[in-house]
Amino acid sequence: MMELQDKVAVVTGAASGIGLALAKALASQGASIALLDVRRDELDEAATAVRACGGDAIGVVADVSDAAEVEAAAKAIIASFGRVHVLVNNAGVVVRGPKLFTVEDAVWDWVVGVNLYGAIHCLRTFIPLICAHGEGGHILSMGSMSGFLSARRQTGIYTTTKFAITGLTESLAHELEGTGIGVSLVLPGGVNSGFYASSAELRGGLGGTNEFAAPTAETAGFISPEEVAARAIAGMKAGQLYIATHPECRRLHEERHQELMAAYDAADAWARA
């Protein structure tokens, strides 16, 4: 089981929501935290809140979709803490509403840039730093139920990136076997956070009118970012590859699995014909 006392963790998208909750939870277990985000004012407040949980913390303004900014952030983190043990790939944005075949490249570039390339840039930058000290570490990536299931929620661009994060993380787990660096994929369902609002702020006028610029009514019934963070860190410390946070979502996986097995039953029947 991984211990977090005196470790250094990098959390992306850490100025609010699940990212901030994860940063606080890690700090409460003795880790020093580097919070990365593009929102300077919110980041300063978040770093202060994390320090109040008992761990040292710095805020680093960085756009994870820009590889050069991630590399610059890493230099600042090493200058402050000397090493990195844990990388939390949490930064993400969502566009909800438009049909996939109507979305222009600029919107795809933005969502894919943050959600997928943000993770890629951080893996490429921080894994060598974790390997360098030989003390082991962990990569915790924020996936989603949308990384396994396509729901009728008008979030096809986001879903596409989360399916990619699933493949990226599973592949990474194979590549890091035996290195002392663990890999985990968190699978949250609905979370009562300001994800829509923060995405709307960052999106601005990109893509035209935003139909979902604020949390929807259903959001109030979801679990809190703090609950997601607690379950995620417990799973990470236990070495789980998949970390489920919503037990009620089991049924959705089972239904998808049944559809896949029915496809193979049909293939068996075709092969025997």
Side-chain angles (χ1 to χ4, degrees):
M1 178 167 294
M2 181 177 185
E3 294 302 325
L4 293 167
Q5 184 68 43
D6 299 323
K7 299 297 191 299
V8 177
V10 177
V11 183
T12 69
S16 63
I18 296 174
L20 178 54
L22 283 162
K24 288 180 177 179
L26 289 163
S28 71
Q29 297 198 29
S32 296
I33 314 297
L35 296 87
L36 271 60
D37 207 291
V38 294
R39 297 166 290 169
R40 183 180 299 276
D41 292 343
E42 292 92 335
L43 189 58
D44 290 340
E45 294 178 7
T48 298
V50 171
R51 291 187 201 103
C53 295
D56 194 5
I58 59 170
V60 182
V61 177
D63 179 353
V64 295
S65 70
D66 186 319
E69 290 197 23
V70 173
E71 291 171 5
K75 291 178 181 178
I77 294 164
I78 294 300
S80 293
F81 294 131
R83 53 190 179 160
V84 172
H85 298 89
V86 176
L87 168 64
V88 180
N89 277 320
N90 169 76
V93 293
V94 65
V95 170
R96 182 177 179 184
K99 291 181 171 58
L100 287 171
F101 58 85
T102 70
V103 179
E104 63 269 29
D105 284 354
V107 177
W108 276 104
D109 289 344
W110 178 56
V111 180
V112 173
V114 176
N115 293 5
L116 178 56
Y117 271 96
I120 292 169
H121 295 154
C122 287
L123 294 176
R124 190 168 60 206
T125 298
F126 289 106
I127 288 178
L129 297 178
I130 298 173
C131 291
H133 53 61
E135 299 172 5
H138 208 96
I139 310 299
L140 181 71
S141 290
M142 189 57 57
S144 172
M145 286 298 295
S146 293
F148 287 87
L149 306 164
S150 179
R152 293 179 176 87
R153 294 176 57 81
Q154 300 169 273
T155 55
I157 310 172
Y158 175 81
T159 296
T160 299
T161 63
K162 287 303 180 179
F163 263 78
I165 288 294
T166 296
L168 179 69
T169 306
E170 290 177 341
S171 298
L172 184 67
H174 292 304
E175 294 184 1
L176 291 179
E177 283 180 0
T179 66
I181 302 174
V183 177
S184 296
L185 179 67
V186 189
L187 310 175
V191 180
N192 186 2
S193 73
F195 188 37
Y196 285 147
S198 62
S199 293
E201 174 191 347
L202 295 170
R203 173 180 167 185
L206 183 66
T209 302
N210 189 345
E211 300 174 32
F212 297 92
T216 60
E218 64 184 344
T219 304
F222 296 155
I223 69 173
S224 69
E226 289 73 23
E227 289 175 281
V228 173
R231 296 176 189 179
I233 291 174
M236 180 188 77
K237 292 179 68 176
Q240 293 176 225
L241 173 57
Y242 304 109
I243 303 173
T245 61
H246 291 59
E248 65 273 17
C249 289
R250 177 194 293 267
R251 173 184 57 81
L252 300 176
H253 280 289
E254 289 175 339
E255 289 175 356
R256 184 172 192 260
H257 180 73
Q258 289 167 3
E259 289 186 24
L260 287 169
M261 292 305 100
Y264 279 101
D265 290 342
D268 288 339
W270 177 81
R272 290 192 299 266

